[in-house]
Amino acid sequence: MSTSVYVRDVRREDIPAIVAVEDRTSGVSRPEYWAKRYEIAEALHPRWASLVAEADGRVVGFLFGHEGELEFGLPGTVAWVEIIGVDPAYRRRGIAAQLMETFVSNAEQNKVDSVLTLVDRRKPDMQGFFSKLGFEEGQMVYYQKELRR
Protein backbone atom coordinates (compact mmCIF):
# COMPACT_ATOMS: atom_id res chain seq x y z
CA MET A 1 0.00 0.00 0.00
CA SER A 2 1.41 3.39 -1.00
CA THR A 3 1.15 6.26 1.43
CA SER A 4 1.78 9.90 0.59
CA VAL A 5 4.39 11.04 3.10
CA TYR A 6 5.75 14.47 3.86
CA VAL A 7 9.06 14.66 5.78
CA ARG A 8 9.94 17.88 7.57
CA ASP A 9 11.93 19.29 10.50
CA VAL A 10 10.51 18.44 13.91
CA ARG A 11 8.56 21.10 15.82
CA ARG A 12 7.71 21.43 19.50
CA GLU A 13 4.04 20.63 18.83
CA ASP A 14 5.11 17.23 17.41
CA ILE A 15 6.18 15.96 20.85
CA PRO A 16 2.80 14.40 21.81
CA ALA A 17 2.66 12.57 18.48
CA ILE A 18 6.24 11.30 18.89
CA VAL A 19 5.36 10.08 22.40
CA ALA A 20 2.32 8.28 20.97
CA VAL A 21 4.34 6.62 18.18
CA GLU A 22 6.92 5.37 20.69
CA ASP A 23 4.15 4.15 23.00
CA ARG A 24 2.48 2.20 20.18
CA THR A 25 5.87 0.80 19.15
CA SER A 26 7.37 -0.13 22.52
CA GLY A 27 4.61 0.21 25.11
CA VAL A 28 6.63 2.94 26.83
CA SER A 29 5.35 6.49 27.23
CA ARG A 30 8.05 9.11 27.92
CA PRO A 31 6.67 12.62 27.47
CA GLU A 32 9.29 14.20 29.74
CA TYR A 33 12.11 12.44 27.88
CA TRP A 34 10.86 13.66 24.49
CA ALA A 35 10.32 17.21 25.74
CA LYS A 36 13.93 17.26 26.97
CA ARG A 37 15.14 15.54 23.80
CA TYR A 38 13.49 18.22 21.71
CA GLU A 39 15.12 20.98 23.79
CA ILE A 40 18.55 19.36 23.30
CA ALA A 41 17.95 19.01 19.56
CA GLU A 42 16.92 22.66 19.30
CA ALA A 43 19.90 23.89 21.32
CA LEU A 44 22.73 21.67 20.10
CA HIS A 45 21.89 19.96 16.83
CA PRO A 46 21.25 21.33 13.35
CA ARG A 47 17.55 21.59 12.49
CA TRP A 48 17.96 19.21 9.54
CA ALA A 49 18.98 16.35 11.86
CA SER A 50 15.61 15.92 13.61
CA LEU A 51 12.70 14.98 11.38
CA VAL A 52 9.11 13.79 11.40
CA ALA A 53 7.08 12.06 8.71
CA GLU A 54 3.46 13.03 8.21
CA ALA A 55 0.84 10.88 6.50
CA ASP A 56 -2.93 11.09 6.56
CA GLY A 57 -2.66 14.45 8.31
CA ARG A 58 -0.66 13.26 11.32
CA VAL A 59 2.86 12.42 12.48
CA VAL A 60 3.53 8.74 11.83
CA GLY A 61 7.31 8.59 12.17
CA PHE A 62 10.36 10.40 13.49
CA LEU A 63 14.14 10.45 13.30
CA PHE A 64 16.53 12.19 15.67
CA GLY A 65 20.21 12.55 14.89
CA HIS A 66 23.13 14.91 15.21
CA GLU A 67 26.23 16.14 13.43
CA GLY A 68 29.77 16.28 14.79
CA GLU A 69 33.42 16.49 13.84
CA LEU A 70 36.17 14.05 14.74
CA GLU A 71 33.84 12.08 17.02
CA PHE A 72 35.42 8.89 18.38
CA GLY A 73 38.50 9.69 16.30
CA LEU A 74 36.56 9.41 13.02
CA PRO A 75 37.99 11.69 10.36
CA GLY A 76 35.91 14.55 9.03
CA THR A 77 32.33 15.49 9.75
CA VAL A 78 29.87 12.75 10.63
CA ALA A 79 26.13 12.58 11.15
CA TRP A 80 24.63 10.05 13.54
CA VAL A 81 21.18 8.52 13.31
CA GLU A 82 20.33 8.12 16.99
CA ILE A 83 16.72 6.95 16.94
CA ILE A 84 14.11 6.26 14.30
CA GLY A 85 10.52 5.19 14.88
CA VAL A 86 7.44 4.53 12.75
CA ASP A 87 3.89 3.97 13.95
CA PRO A 88 3.20 0.22 13.67
CA ALA A 89 0.07 0.91 11.59
CA TYR A 90 2.28 2.64 8.98
CA ARG A 91 5.16 0.21 8.76
CA ARG A 92 6.22 -1.40 5.50
CA ARG A 93 5.15 1.69 3.55
CA GLY A 94 8.60 3.19 3.06
CA ILE A 95 8.27 5.83 5.77
CA ALA A 96 11.48 4.91 7.60
CA ALA A 97 13.30 4.86 4.26
CA GLN A 98 11.97 8.33 3.42
CA LEU A 99 13.10 9.65 6.80
CA MET A 100 16.55 8.17 6.20
CA GLU A 101 16.74 9.46 2.62
CA THR A 102 15.90 12.97 3.82
CA PHE A 103 18.45 12.74 6.64
CA VAL A 104 21.19 11.53 4.27
CA SER A 105 20.30 14.19 1.69
CA ASN A 106 20.40 16.89 4.38
CA ALA A 107 23.78 15.56 5.55
CA GLU A 108 25.14 15.68 1.99
CA GLN A 109 23.91 19.26 1.54
CA ASN A 110 25.68 20.19 4.78
CA LYS A 111 28.98 18.65 3.62
CA VAL A 112 28.92 15.72 6.04
CA ASP A 113 31.46 13.02 5.14
CA SER A 114 29.75 9.94 6.66
CA VAL A 115 26.43 8.92 8.19
CA LEU A 116 26.61 6.39 11.03
CA THR A 117 24.29 4.56 13.40
CA LEU A 118 24.37 1.70 15.89
CA VAL A 119 22.31 -1.45 15.30
CA ASP A 120 21.62 -4.24 17.78
CA ARG A 121 22.99 -7.51 16.36
CA ARG A 122 19.90 -9.25 17.73
CA LYS A 123 17.73 -7.26 15.31
CA PRO A 124 18.45 -8.59 11.82
CA ASP A 125 15.48 -6.63 10.44
CA MET A 126 17.26 -3.37 11.34
CA GLN A 127 20.51 -4.65 9.84
CA GLY A 128 18.62 -5.49 6.64
CA PHE A 129 16.92 -2.10 6.61
CA PHE A 130 20.19 -0.18 6.78
CA SER A 131 21.89 -2.54 4.30
CA LYS A 132 19.12 -1.88 1.76
CA LEU A 133 19.83 1.83 2.13
CA GLY A 134 23.51 1.33 1.27
CA PHE A 135 24.94 1.21 4.79
CA GLU A 136 27.75 -1.25 5.53
CA GLU A 137 29.11 -2.59 8.78
CA GLY A 138 31.86 -0.23 9.88
CA GLN A 139 35.22 -0.80 11.48
CA MET A 140 34.29 0.42 14.95
CA VAL A 141 33.37 -1.89 17.80
CA TYR A 142 31.59 -0.57 20.84
CA TYR A 143 32.32 -1.65 24.40
CA GLN A 144 30.02 -1.54 27.37
CA LYS A 145 30.12 -2.18 31.08
CA GLU A 146 26.89 -3.18 32.79
CA LEU A 147 26.34 -1.22 35.99
CA ARG A 148 22.98 -2.69 36.96
CA ARG A 149 21.56 -6.07 36.14
Side-chain angles (χ1 to χ4, degrees):
M1 171 193 272
S2 178
T3 301
S4 178
V5 177
Y6 172 63
V7 176
R8 60 170 173 78
D9 294 349
V10 70
R11 297 188 291 244
R12 183 180 312 279
E13 59 265 23
D14 297 324
I15 295 170
I18 292 168
V19 170
V21 168
E22 183 184 46
D23 188 18
R24 285 190 290 279
T25 301
S26 67
V28 176
S29 180
R30 304 184 296 168
E32 296 84 13
Y33 168 83
W34 286 107
K36 180 90 163 166
R37 182 65 192 252
Y38 174 80
E39 295 299 326
I40 291 169
E42 279 290 295
L44 301 176
H45 304 313
R47 292 200 55 75
W48 61 261
S50 298
L51 307 167
V52 294
E54 291 182 336
D56 299 328
R58 65 190 190 99
V59 171
V60 297
F62 60 87
L63 183 155
F64 278 74
H66 77 272
E67 175 187 350
E69 291 186 32
L70 300 172
E71 292 191 355
F72 300 101
L74 294 167
T77 304
V78 298
W80 286 91
V81 176
E82 297 172 351
I83 187 167
I84 186 168
V86 175
D87 188 312
Y90 285 83
R91 289 198 177 149
R92 306 249 181 255
R93 299 186 192 188
I95 292 170
Q98 285 183 299
L99 284 162
M100 285 298 304
E101 288 167 9
T102 301
F103 184 84
V104 169
S105 176
N106 289 348
E108 286 176 326
Q109 290 172 18
N110 286 279
K111 301 187 180 358
V112 169
D113 298 308
S114 302
V115 175
L116 303 111
T117 193
L118 297 172
V119 177
D120 188 333
R121 289 188 190 276
R122 298 167 294 185
K123 296 189 177 183
D125 55 329
M126 290 303 293
Q127 292 175 22
F129 169 73
F130 283 104
S131 291
K132 279 188 210 175
L133 295 175
F135 283 70
E136 299 172 346
E137 189 172 328
Q139 298 299 313
M140 295 180 68
V141 176
Y142 86 95
Y143 286 80
Q144 72 184 48
K145 180 178 182 176
E146 294 294 329
L147 302 177
R148 288 189 256 169
R149 290 186 194 236

